[in-house]
Amino acid sequence: MTRYPRDFRGYGPNPPDAAWPGGAKIAISLVLNYEEGGENNILHGDAGSEAFLSDIAGAQPWPGLRHWNMESLYDYGARAGFWRLHRLFTRRGIPVTIYGVATALARNPEQVAAMQEAGWEIASHGLKWVEHRDMPEADEAAAIAEAFRLHEEVTGAPPSGWYTGRCSMNTVRLTAATRRLAWISDTYDDDLPWWLTTGDHDQLVIPYTLEANDMRFATAPGYITGEQFFTYLKDSFDVLYAEGLAGHAKMFSIGLHNRLIGRPGKFAGLQKFLDYAQGHEGVWFPRRIDIADHWRRIHPPVAQDRPSQMSRAAFVARFGGIYEHSPWIADQAWELELGPAHDSAAGLASVLARAFRRASPEARLQVLRAHPDLAGKLAAAKRLTAESTSEQASAALDALTDAERETFQRLNTAYTARHGFPFIIAVRDNTKTSILAAFEARLANDSETEFKAACTQVERIATLRLKDLLP
């Protein structure tokens, strides 16, 4: 059995209505990363200096050494950048979420006090602003636990949200496993919050961003001027706001760093964007905890069937009748590479169709022959499967006149004699009139053509049946 963990489907073609408070058309989540004092530094017990996200082009770690220029750039974020941003947001009455590195918060008490006085949410950005990619799972779990402890010690309360950033493949699972977080954000995979099920626990995920993010001032390709940052934010806002006007309201995350956007020339772009956004009606500026509380109230987690997680026996029991009297198709489909993308009607229809298509012509012929005649003897004797009974009734094939019944019987007999299998059509796509017209037209086809047409119709019938069971 192969199970593929990545979720390419998400909400699929029909995302939920965000129903933001006050009928807002867009929710703008401003996130200020507080990393100053938590970055790599031999003063912090690290092997060398920091080299990530600074104005030093091509920076490299200095093993065993302090890097005065790098430290001073981070220091600027705490000494000047933070206060420029604090004045901007408090003056405009815009609350933000802080991604606070626990050790950085501990080294910056005055800034923490200002965050709290402003009513900002202080979420966790991990214990230290370091790379977690190669960190052993046990070490990362221990760092998460220590981050909780230190965060509460410094701020007076544990964090309600989490974003590591430089995370590992274990980070999302480990943070969700704490069961202490209202939200986590170490994903970039959607414009809306979503529920992650881990075992018997439902964890809310609020996706973050790496592109509507001032980190692009320190990466290539990236922004050079504040105007470029403004333009990108404006374009993103315009698209999302238009979607909100059309009834598909979304969330817009914007990532900021004191040492980057806090510089005057870059800051001008953010200021200009806030002028623009605040000039529109129906714009909500929530903290991430506000988004989490809203989503939990409006869209709580809902238990749903997950075919990709079913045992073979349960899978076949549930879906073995999708292809008429042919449970072997479900049995073989279960062995394919299933994942979250197959937990929908379209996804499961695809994998069942693959099992059907890879079967020999003789095996597929037996599937065709397993289907009943339309309005035939089995229907009259009430011996159809529940699915076939419902399907034939949908086109009123269970309420034929004597003349109509005689026509169907005549066509059934002629078609089966000519092709060796019953006439198959997705009844729910048709009316009694269109079925009879297709019957007459297809009767004259050669058997190879009809075999292909019948197989296509079998797959269509399966898809319609699955839509009764899955989203």
Side-chain angles (χ1 to χ4, degrees), residues 89-101:
F89 296 133
T90 55
R91 187 169 57 244
R92 291 173 179 260
I94 296 177
V96 303
T97 292
I98 296 292
Y99 283 171
V101 175

Side-chain angles (χ1 to χ4, degrees), residues 33 38 135 179 236 296 315 340 382-383 389 432 465:
N33 293 261
M135 190 178 290
R179 302 190 177 215
S236 300
R296 184 172 287 100
F315 187 90
K382 300 187 182 301
R383 292 174 55 197
T389 298
K432 180 169 55 180
R465 289 179 176 181

